[in-house]
Structure formats: C-alpha cells, structure tokens
Amino acid sequence: MAWDEWEQLKSEAVQKQSTGMEINQLADSGGGGGGDADLVVHDDQLGKLGNLAYDLRERFRVDSDFARPTTFTASADLFNDGLDTGSALLELHDAWNTQAQTVKEACAHISNHLDFSRAQHAKDDVHVQTGMRDAAGHLMTVSKINDYMK
C-alpha cells in the first residue's frame, strides 16, 4: 500500500466516523448494525455460550489427561534406568499438566462468568421493573408513583 493511499484511507475513515460502535465489520445490507450503538445479548445466547465453555472444559479435562499416567510411568522408568530422557520427559509431563490446568481454568472462568452475568442481569431487570426512586434516591411506593402519573 502506497503512502498516499494510506493517507486517503485515513481521511475517509475520519469523515465516516459516527457515534455508533462497529466491531471489525460493515453494516450488513439487511439494515442491521451501524446505526444502533447498543450492544444486545439475549439470555439464551449467554446460556448457550456458557454451556459450550463448560462442555469444552469437561471434554478437555478427559482428553488432556489421557496420556498422563503412562507418560509419568515412562519418565520414571527411563530415569531409574539412568537415562536423561526420563527427567526431560518428566519436565514435559509437568509442563503439559500446568498448561492443561490453565486451559481448564480459563474455560471454567468463562462459563462461570456467563452464568454470573445472566443472574446479575436478571436481578437488574427485576430492580428496574420494581424500583422507581425519587430525586433523593428513596424507593417510592406504588401509591406515590400513581400520584405522579395523574
């Protein structure tokens, strides 16, 4: 890309700036995106993503542990036979276990965070639906709200 072309693209981008947020894409031709700056995520989508993260963690937990016992036994046997390969294999075994644990914890963190987000948003929705407050921040009674509506 030539310098002039880069400068032209930068100036076009500045001219097209809007207050809406677009995440690495243009608005589709169906009219969605671009003009609406609100991020919308539905509860069922968060639930599905949380379940996927949990399922991934469980599958990885089982699959990543498949060769652990035999690798450990082999490293001990090689080390006891006086071969340096045994200690190297034990280091590999330990490094794999550490990395696998990190991946499992990350999947669990994602799943738990999505579950927490769903629960928190549900609480927030209930609060918004049931808790109208006055200018001082005090919860107003239904009769007081009714007085304002007249």
Side-chain angles (χ1 to χ4, degrees), residues 75-87:
S75 67
D77 290 345
L78 290 167
F79 181 78
N80 290 337
D81 288 341
L83 298 171
D84 290 338
T85 307
S87 61

Side-chain angles (χ1 to χ4, degrees), residues 73-122:
T73 302
S75 67
D77 290 345
L78 290 167
F79 181 78
N80 290 337
D81 288 341
L83 298 171
D84 290 338
T85 307
S87 61
L89 189 56
L90 183 59
E91 285 183 39
L92 174 68
H93 168 271
D94 293 345
W96 172 259
N97 286 336
T98 299
Q99 296 300 319
Q101 185 62 30
T102 301
V103 171
K104 289 185 285 189
E105 287 176 7
C107 290
H109 179 75
I110 291 167
S111 177
N112 292 341
H113 180 70
L114 290 171
D115 288 344
F116 173 81
S117 295
R118 291 177 70 199
Q120 187 62 44
H121 288 302

Side-chain angles (χ1 to χ4, degrees), residues 41-51 114-115 117-118 121:
V41 178
H42 300 283
D43 186 59
D44 60 334
Q45 292 171 330
L46 289 177
K48 287 177 186 177
L49 290 172
N51 288 339
L114 290 171
D115 288 344
S117 295
R118 291 177 70 199
H121 288 302

